Amino acid sequence: MSSQHVYYTGEDNYYDHSGLPYADSGYERPYDHQYPGPFRPHPAYGVNRPSSHWPGNHQYPRLDEVRPKRDSSRKKGSKRENPKQDNDQDPRERFDRSKENGSRPKQDKSDWDSDSTSSPDDKEKSSRPSGVGHIIDKHTDKFSMSGVSYIKGTKNPVVKFVWSILLIAALAAMGYHLYRLVSTYREYKKQTSVELSFSSLQFPAVTFCNVNPVRMSQLNLATPELRDFIDNVNPEKLTNDLDNWSPQYETVDDYYDDDDDDDDDGGDDEAVDKRRRRRKRRQTQKSSFTVSHFVFVVRIDRAEMGHQISDMLLQCSFAGRQCLARNFTRLLTTDFGNCYTIQYDKFVSRKSGPKYGLELKLYLQTDEYVPGIATSKGIQVVVHEPDTHPFPQEEGIAIKAGSETRIGIKLVQVSRLDQPYDYCSSTEDFKKKYRIKYTRSTCQNICLYERTLKRCGCYNVLSEETRALLRRNLKNATACQSAKEIQCAERLAIKFDTDDRSCECHSPCKERLYEKTVSSREWPTQDFANLLVKTVCKNNPEDCAVLRNSTVEEVRDEFVNVVIYFEQLNFETITESPAYEIDQFLSDIGGTIGLYVGLSVLAFFEVINLITDILVYVCTGCRKK
């Protein structure tokens, strides 16, 4: 059969493109070759058509013989009188015009037989969803999630059901895995790394205090209350009353009892008596030198009453170079009186060992010790980070008289993580606010001071040192003196000791710590003690007579030697870091999604593109309405 097109004239005749009729030939109609299925002959004849009626075996008349000629009298562009004349048009002319226009000739559906059917493409187009459904259907054809194309493309319901179950199971497993990953990340676990380094090191600040806060020769500057107190605590007078010489400390049960001390009338008689006894014990305990008497002395007089650096310092050297009394700064404390700090930015240790550290030879002036106030002989030493405030009573190392003590230090730098991994305090913010470098002890003392001042309207005399530290920030503050004010301050101090959340004073985010190794031996020898006595006599002739009349043991107890040095110039850097980094977390999420449903980062943009198309369609429809 020829592959050429055949045109139906509507009168049971077919014509090819040359105009030769295939009348009653049984040839297929135009474009029938586009439709699947068996060959369909002309409905007027059966499939057993004699072969004589096929092309080549029968002589057919020409087109102009069986069809009337076209009316040439009608002008071009004029309206047809009979619309049916379109069917009288020469098929060859229609074919030629359609060929010139680059398109197929239009077919009149009325020309086809009643058993004609639409093409599969038309059926597919008519079955496709419209609107949002069409947009989703279009995107699912190209969606890269595993299983979606199989569910949409297959027509087998069993296969579609199996793939749906597999996809749902994969999504559920993926969700559980992602939940575990998020839970692990939100635990915010951290890990610690230790790094060893070697370099020249900045020498730390060193503060020392004589354990005797007041010199006997300067009691004339004391208040009458202080002189009476010193006279009452003299051990010679207390020997006759051994049962009452020590303060009556309250029990731990009473200390941590939450009963209110303000109300003596509340409760039964036993509870009232209990509160009164507790208050009396606290008053007896707090009636110590540092609280009730020394802090009420004028600050300038207190500084004059204490030991002076010019009298105590016999020798100072750093790495073989001399340091002088003017290199020290005074710090007035409530527990030890005058303390002295040496801090110099040019003190850099380039070698380790005692020869390259700080050495202090001190004269203690034990003959100036006040009986009952100073209960031991020696000094208190604090090694701390430069520019930080020392607290000798809390952080110091006790060094006894008549000894040489060596303190080997090792630098440890610590870098901590802040929220959400842990809590640490920023040193920069604290320094801007209080003009001092942050330490946890400093923060706690300032916090207690500010709370007492806010709630009680006064400051606790125990915090007098903190008040001096904040004298530029806090003004018009008075000490708590009345019974009510003292009770208020005591309650806050107890609450501060028992409640860790009372102040947010965390470890600093960046800190320099000094690990210490302490060793000591008896010092000086008798010959060297005589040399030290001559040095004292040269500087303080008034003390010379006392030393010359002392025994060897008494002379030895007048002096102390302290050597502070770096054991090694190696230092540790301890750094906290997240145990589960954010990049590892994102990588695990991507691996989990790719493992279960085969998605990648670009696949999420497909979802975004789908959502964008839907929104555009909806917005366009709203505008048209």
Side-chain angles (χ1 to χ4, degrees):
M1 183 183 296
S2 175
S3 61
Q4 60 188 355
H5 294 288
V6 180
Y7 300 94
Y8 180 56
T9 63
E11 298 178 355
D12 296 334
N13 291 322
Y14 290 87
Y15 299 87
D16 62 5
H17 67 279
S18 61
L20 297 177
Y22 291 149
D24 302 330
S25 64
Y27 261 34
E28 62 180 348
R29 291 165 298 182
Y31 307 108
D32 275 354
H33 66 279
Q34 297 179 3
Y35 297 88
F39 170 74
R40 294 190 298 271
H42 191 274
Y45 302 94
V47 295
N48 298 322
R49 186 73 174 179
S51 59
S52 61
H53 291 274
W54 290 98
N57 297 331
H58 185 79
Q59 195 71 20
Y60 295 99
R62 295 186 61 84
L63 180 65
D64 52 356
E65 297 177 358
V66 297
R67 299 295 303 272
K69 294 184 179 181
R70 181 182 179 185
D71 185 8
S72 58
S73 61
R74 185 172 60 87
K75 295 182 179 180
K76 185 177 181 180
S78 61
K79 188 176 180 180
R80 296 186 180 93
E81 297 179 358
N82 186 8
K84 294 184 178 180
Q85 291 179 0
D86 290 340
N87 295 329
D88 298 337
Q89 186 180 0
D90 191 343
R92 289 175 298 180
E93 294 180 5
R94 284 191 295 172
F95 178 80
D96 293 339
R97 284 200 304 270
S98 63
K99 187 175 181 181
E100 291 176 0
N101 297 333
S103 60
R104 296 180 180 271
K106 296 182 180 180
Q107 303 296 328
D108 189 357
K109 292 184 179 180
S110 62
D111 293 341
W112 307 110
D113 294 336
S114 59
D115 63 343
S116 63
T117 58
S118 60
S119 66
D121 292 341
D122 294 337
K123 290 183 178 181
E124 183 179 357
K125 291 180 181 179
S126 61
S127 62
R128 287 180 180 177
S130 60
V132 177
H134 172 68
I135 297 175
I136 296 176
D137 184 71
K138 180 182 67 174
H139 280 272
T140 52
D141 290 340
K142 299 176 288 184
F143 198 44
S144 57
M145 179 184 289
S146 300
V148 174
S149 58
Y150 288 93
I151 296 174
K152 182 179 183 300
T154 183
K155 296 182 179 179
N156 191 328
V158 177
V159 175
K160 189 184 294 289
F161 175 76
V162 171
W163 273 108
S164 300
I165 294 298
L166 292 176
L167 180 60
I168 294 173
L171 290 175
M174 181 190 70
Y176 175 73
H177 200 161
L178 291 177
Y179 169 76
R180 292 293 302 273
L181 289 177
V182 174
S183 299
T184 302
Y185 179 76
R186 288 182 61 85
E187 290 178 358
Y188 298 115
K189 293 182 179 180
K190 58 183 180 179
Q191 60 186 1
T192 302
S193 61
V194 180
E195 180 182 357
L196 295 178
S197 305
F198 176 88
S199 67
S200 299
L201 300 177
Q202 176 72 39
F203 200 78
V206 177
T207 301
F208 73 90
C209 314
N210 198 318
V211 295
N212 180 59
V214 177
R215 291 182 292 172
M216 182 70 73
S217 61
Q218 301 297 322
L219 287 179
N220 59 316
L221 299 176
T223 61
E225 293 80 9
L226 178 57
R227 288 195 295 267
D228 293 340
F229 177 79
I230 292 175
D231 185 65
N232 293 330
V233 297
N234 193 320
E236 295 180 357
K237 293 184 178 181
L238 294 176
T239 53
N240 298 326
D241 190 8
L242 296 178
D243 295 334
N244 298 321
W245 71 271
S246 61
Q248 298 179 5
Y249 295 98
E250 60 182 327
T251 64
V252 291
D253 294 334
D254 292 338
Y255 183 81
Y256 293 109
D257 197 344
D258 293 333
D259 291 342
D260 191 0
D261 291 338
D262 287 339
D263 188 9
D264 285 343
D265 299 329
D268 54 13
D269 295 338
E270 184 179 355
V272 173
D273 292 339
K274 182 180 178 181
R275 287 194 292 268
R276 288 177 178 175
R277 288 194 303 269
R278 184 187 309 158
R279 183 181 302 118
K280 185 177 181 180
R281 284 194 300 267
R282 288 179 180 174
Q283 290 174 353
T284 304
Q285 177 185 353
K286 297 301 181 180
S287 296
S288 62
F289 167 75
T290 56
V291 177
S292 301
H293 304 89
F294 186 57
V295 293
F296 292 111
V297 180
V298 180
R299 189 174 181 83
I300 298 177
D301 293 340
R302 274 190 289 158
E304 187 64 27
M305 292 168 62
H307 293 269
Q308 307 299 314
I309 185 64
S310 57
D311 299 332
M312 296 179 61
L313 186 62
L314 298 180
Q315 181 183 349
C316 174
S317 63
F318 176 78
R321 290 178 288 273
Q322 184 180 11
C323 48
L324 305 175
R326 64 172 177 265
N327 300 125
F328 290 81
T329 57
R330 182 169 58 194
L331 173 67
L332 189 59
T333 65
T334 57
D335 296 294
F336 301 110
N338 292 337
C339 296
Y340 298 93
T341 302
I342 182 169
Q343 175 182 313
Y344 196 37
D345 56 357
K346 294 184 180 180
F347 282 178
V348 178
S349 295
R350 294 179 174 83
K351 294 183 179 180
S352 59
K355 292 173 57 177
Y356 302 98
L358 177 66
E359 183 176 4
L360 300 173
K361 290 183 174 65
L362 302 174
Y363 173 45
L364 299 180
Q365 297 179 303
T366 58
D367 60 302
E368 292 280 11
Y369 279 29
V370 177
I373 301 300
T375 58
S376 61
K377 295 180 181 180
I379 61 173
Q380 195 86 351
V381 176
V382 183
V383 180
H384 55 98
E385 187 177 356
D387 300 325
T388 59
H389 186 80
F391 294 91
Q393 182 66 23
E394 304 171 5
E395 305 169 347
I397 300 173
I399 298 177
K400 66 177 183 178
S403 66
E404 179 185 28
T405 302
R406 296 192 174 188
I407 303 175
I409 60 176
K410 182 179 180 181
L411 175 64
V412 178
Q413 294 182 344
V414 182
S415 178
R416 299 181 176 89
L417 288 175
D418 202 356
Q419 294 181 350
Y421 296 94
D422 204 346
Y423 294 93
C424 67
S425 300
S426 174
T427 57
E428 290 77 10
D429 297 340
F430 186 86
K431 190 171 184 178
K432 290 179 180 179
K433 183 176 181 180
Y434 297 106
R435 303 179 185 178
I436 189 172
K437 198 167 184 178
Y438 178 90
T439 63
R440 191 170 185 178
S441 298
T442 304
C443 176
Q444 290 174 343
N445 282 274
I446 291 177
C447 178
L448 178 59
Y449 180 90
E450 290 180 339
R451 289 199 173 189
T452 305
L453 187 64
K454 181 179 180 180
R455 296 189 181 183
C456 305
C458 59
Y459 67 88
N460 195 332
V461 289
L462 286 172
S463 304
E464 194 274 340
E465 184 179 347
T466 307
R467 174 178 176 271
L469 182 65
L470 300 177
R471 61 183 181 273
R472 295 182 180 180
N473 301 77
L474 301 174
K475 300 179 181 179
N476 301 325
T478 58
C480 298
Q481 298 182 6
S482 65
K484 185 176 181 180
E485 291 176 342
I486 293 175
Q487 292 170 14
C488 176
E490 288 179 354
R491 285 197 306 274
L492 286 178
I494 294 173
K495 184 177 180 181
F496 184 82
D497 292 340
T498 57
D499 187 4
D500 294 336
R501 297 172 296 177
S502 56
C503 289
E504 294 184 358
C505 294
H506 308 291
S507 299
C509 297
K510 294 186 180 297
E511 186 179 17
R512 294 166 66 93
L513 302 175
Y514 297 95
E515 296 181 350
K516 308 172 187 67
T517 303
V518 182
S519 60
S520 63
R521 60 189 173 190
E522 189 177 87
W523 182 89
T525 63
Q526 183 175 355
D527 295 337
F528 196 74
N530 294 332
L531 178 61
L532 293 175
V533 169
K534 291 180 181 180
T535 304
V536 172
C537 292
K538 180 181 177 181
N539 298 332
N540 301 302
E542 298 177 357
D543 297 335
C544 185
V546 177
L547 292 175
R548 291 186 184 278
N549 296 329
S550 301
T551 62
V552 176
E553 294 297 331
E554 291 175 345
V555 171
R556 181 179 289 117
D557 289 343
E558 291 288 343
F559 304 100
V560 67
N561 186 29
V562 182
V563 182
I564 305 171
Y565 61 95
F566 278 107
E567 291 181 319
Q568 294 179 349
L569 295 183
N570 295 333
F571 63 94
E572 294 181 354
T573 301
I574 302 176
T575 304
E576 293 181 351
S577 59
Y580 196 20
E581 298 281 357
I582 182 65
D583 52 352
Q584 182 64 38
F585 173 63
L586 296 177
S587 177
D588 291 345
I589 288 180
T592 301
I593 297 176
L595 173 65
Y596 288 103
V597 295
L599 291 181
S600 63
V601 175
L602 294 179
F604 290 98
F605 291 95
E606 296 179 3
V607 178
I608 296 175
N609 188 19
L610 171 61
I611 296 174
T612 303
D613 290 350
I614 292 175
L615 293 177
V616 170
Y617 174 81
V618 172
C619 294
T620 304
C622 293
R623 290 179 181 177
K624 289 181 178 180
K625 291 180 180 180

